[in-house]
Amino acid sequence: MGLRVAFAGGGTGGHVVPGLHLLAWPEVRDALEDLVWFQTGREAERRLAPRLEAVAPPGCERVELALEPPGGGAPGRARLALG
């Protein structure tokens, strides 16, 4: 059974950079069975997306979660609960 990995972040892209470094290791890439990147769709993540797509294994899935209210800013607890 291979590795099943999911990365999730808060919109700053801070989860993408460590993930890129992890994928730079052939031993890790070769062992991956499933990889999912959860993102918020913020600009920082969008700028890093091409780098991710360049090194991600086939079948890697990017899931954009609509967590932010229109106009940006952190969502309140009620909005998070409803989301």
Side-chain angles (χ1 to χ4, degrees):
M1 186 171 175
L3 276 171
R4 302 186 82 197
V5 179
F7 286 101
T12 63
H15 67 301
V16 179
V17 174
L20 290 171
H21 287 282
L22 186 65
L23 290 174
W25 290 64
E27 298 88 355
V28 172
R29 260 194 332 268
D30 294 342
L32 280 175
E33 180 179 314
D34 192 21
L35 176 63
V36 179
W37 295 83
F38 292 100
Q39 300 179 334
T40 63
R42 292 173 107 186
E43 185 59 30
E45 293 172 329
R46 285 196 180 121
R47 283 195 313 263
L48 292 169
R51 291 176 59 191
L52 166 62
E53 291 166 0
V55 296
C60 172
E61 184 179 358
R62 283 179 42 211
V63 178
E64 191 170 305
L65 304 173
L67 296 178
E68 288 196 13
R77 287 186 180 147
R79 179 160 169 78
L80 283 173
L82 291 173

